[in-house]
Amino acid sequence: MKFKIVTILPCTADEYITYNDTSEYKKLQLETTNSFERTNVTTCKDGVCTQVIVNKPSIDIPRVVKFMMKGREMEFTDTRTWEDRVKKEGRFPLTQTFLQTNNITDRCLSKGTITVEDVEVAEEEEGAGTKAKKAGGAKKAQEKKTKRCSITAEGEVIVRIGPLSNFAEGQVIEHMRAAYGKFPGIVERWREILAEREKTKAAKAAEEEDAISAERLVAEDATVSEDAEDAVMTDALDSTATTATARTATRTTTRDLCGGAGSIATTRRCDTPPTSRS
């Protein structure tokens, strides 16, 4: 049974590839799609990369398939290949081929391609029509082209287990549609997580800047206080020096007036008359 599933994500193709290369995003995607990834190994040789993913499915398995399992646990092996240069250079569309098999029977498999690329999506936004509405006219909407990531999974599911083959093939495809249908919500949640991290980072940076500013203000206040103390000390020293100079000048003038060496003639009587010698 052939299938084609197209999913539009709220990000660009380059952003999606960047997200998908992080272990945290992969964990979020696996948890949301109820998948359990046992192993995930990627090797590159001669410009071609091969990724082998072994996971445990979370789908209802038809009875006929369960009978074939004979008590064993089903595992899917997803093998993907792509050109290494295309992904490294960020060139789009990026196309991967895939082959999915299982450990129970070789009569059940799916194969095809997964293409990641940018598409232009039309979104409505309010435009000049708002003014027309205020003037009594009808409100118009303008289309805004936005770049979005498109994931197209296209291929074929082949099940050869008797009368229930078509039903089993349809079940596999519906499971794929349900999984891809969760991708937009996963991307939105991841972008919220990134935004929260940036907000926390900015708040932390602001706190650190405030702390640095506070330390700088304390240091400036300390410098101002030291300068003020130095100024007070300088004023005190200047005042002391001025007082001492004034006192010296007064004593000198008094000595001159009272007959000391180099005294000048005056009729003013000194407070302390010279002592007469007998």
Side-chain angles (χ1 to χ4, degrees), residues 107-156:
R107 288 183 287 175
C108 301
L109 62 87
S110 59
K111 59 182 179 178
T113 60
I114 299 174
T115 302
V116 179
E117 60 186 331
D118 284 316
V119 294
E120 295 290 333
V121 178
E123 296 181 352
E124 289 188 352
E125 64 173 2
E126 293 184 8
T130 304
K131 184 181 295 185
K133 182 180 180 182
K134 291 180 180 179
K139 180 179 179 181
K140 297 180 181 179
Q142 291 183 341
E143 284 191 347
K144 177 184 177 181
K145 296 292 185 178
T146 305
K147 184 184 291 186
R148 291 286 183 260
C149 174
S150 171
I151 300 179
T152 302
E154 187 172 9
E156 184 178 11

Side-chain angles (χ1 to χ4, degrees), residues 23-253:
S23 59
E24 290 177 295
Y25 179 85
K26 289 179 180 178
K27 181 181 178 182
L28 175 63
Q29 181 170 291
L30 289 171
E31 290 175 349
T32 306
T33 56
N34 297 318
S35 300
F36 178 73
E37 195 173 88
R38 295 190 181 278
T39 60
N40 188 331
V41 180
T42 301
T43 57
C44 297
K45 183 178 180 180
D46 298 329
V48 177
C49 291
T50 301
Q51 182 182 41
V52 180
I53 305 171
V54 178
N55 58 67
K56 177 183 176 182
S58 58
I59 60 174
D60 294 330
I61 301 173
R63 289 183 179 180
V64 64
V65 177
K66 287 183 178 180
F67 174 77
M68 296 171 61
M69 292 170 62
K70 297 179 180 180
R72 290 178 294 174
E73 189 177 59
M74 176 172 278
E75 291 181 349
F76 284 123
T77 299
D78 190 356
T79 304
R80 304 186 184 191
T81 60
W82 66 87
E83 291 184 44
D84 187 34
R85 179 172 57 87
V86 174
K87 185 175 180 180
K88 281 185 176 180
E89 295 177 357
R91 294 166 54 191
F92 297 99
L94 171 63
T95 300
Q96 299 179 342
T97 62
F98 73 88
L99 173 64
Q100 188 177 78
T101 58
N102 64 81
N103 63 327
I104 304 300
T105 176
D106 57 2
R107 288 183 287 175
C108 301
L109 62 87
S110 59
K111 59 182 179 178
T113 60
I114 299 174
T115 302
V116 179
E117 60 186 331
D118 284 316
V119 294
E120 295 290 333
V121 178
E123 296 181 352
E124 289 188 352
E125 64 173 2
E126 293 184 8
T130 304
K131 184 181 295 185
K133 182 180 180 182
K134 291 180 180 179
K139 180 179 179 181
K140 297 180 181 179
Q142 291 183 341
E143 284 191 347
K144 177 184 177 181
K145 296 292 185 178
T146 305
K147 184 184 291 186
R148 291 286 183 260
C149 174
S150 171
I151 300 179
T152 302
E154 187 172 9
E156 184 178 11
V157 174
I158 302 172
V159 179
R160 296 290 181 264
I161 55 175
L164 294 177
S165 295
N166 286 342
F167 173 77
E169 289 173 350
Q171 288 292 101
V172 173
I173 292 174
E174 286 306 309
H175 174 70
M176 294 173 63
R177 289 188 188 279
Y180 278 108
K182 295 179 180 179
F183 278 25
I186 295 171
V187 172
E188 287 180 352
R189 177 54 189 149
W190 182 247
R191 291 171 74 90
E192 288 175 357
I193 291 173
L194 293 180
E196 290 169 1
R197 288 180 180 176
E198 286 299 318
K199 186 177 180 180
T200 301
K201 183 179 178 181
K204 184 177 180 180
E207 289 178 359
E208 291 177 352
E209 183 62 29
D210 289 343
I212 293 173
S213 298
E215 291 178 358
R216 187 182 298 115
L217 288 174
V218 169
E220 290 176 353
D221 289 343
T223 301
V224 170
S225 297
E226 290 177 359
D227 290 343
E229 290 176 0
D230 291 343
V232 171
M233 182 64 70
T234 300
D235 290 343
L237 292 174
D238 290 344
S239 177
T240 301
T242 301
T243 302
T245 301
R247 289 177 177 175
T248 301
T250 301
R251 284 197 296 268
T252 301
T253 303

